[in-house]
């Protein structure tokens, strides 16, 4: 395995994160509740982790700003364009697999 410098590792992690955001923006058909039920995280979790990272570096970001970074548009706009009401089955699945911090 190639030895990576810390700077290279950060660069590659940032590139992978940008690709993940691009993928999630392309797959607006995948609802957050589906992601939560299958993987235990969603776009909102990513925006919270982003905001936490900024805070750790001494940069204050609002929830709205971090969500816009992740969603690629204001959250309310994404909701209006893409979010569907969760089905009873999705809600039930979420309640059985809900992460501790949700």
């Amino acid at each position: 395995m190639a030895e990576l410098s810390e700077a290279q590792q950060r660069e590659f992690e940032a590139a992978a994160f940008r690709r993940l955001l691009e993928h999630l923006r392309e797959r607006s058909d995948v609802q957050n509740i589906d992601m939560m039920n299958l993987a235990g995280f969603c776009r909102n979790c990513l925006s919270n982790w982003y905001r936490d990272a900024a805070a750790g570096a001494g940069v204050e970001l609002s929830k709205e700003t971090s969500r816009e970074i992740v969603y690629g548009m204001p959250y309310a706009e994404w909701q209006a364009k893409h979010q569907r009401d969760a089905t009873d089955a999705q809600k039930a699945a979420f309640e059985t697999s809900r992460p501790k911090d949700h």
Side-chain angles (χ1 to χ4, degrees), residues 25-45:
R25 290 171 187 163
E26 291 170 1
R27 289 300 312 268
S28 58
D29 60 308
V30 177
Q31 298 293 295
N32 281 336
I33 194 162
D34 295 324
M35 292 176 64
M36 288 297 296
N37 288 343
L38 293 172
F41 79 100
C42 68
R43 294 170 182 88
N44 291 337
C45 297

Side-chain angles (χ1 to χ4, degrees), residues 50-63:
Y50 192 98
R51 192 164 49 123
D52 291 345
V59 177
E60 187 175 330
L61 288 179
S62 69
K63 180 189 264 189

Side-chain angles (χ1 to χ4, degrees), residues 16-26 46 50 69-71:
F17 181 73
R18 287 189 298 270
R19 180 63 188 105
L20 172 62
L21 293 182
E22 182 181 322
H23 180 76
L24 291 173
R25 290 171 187 163
E26 291 170 1
L46 287 174
Y50 192 98
I69 289 166
V70 168
Y71 284 89

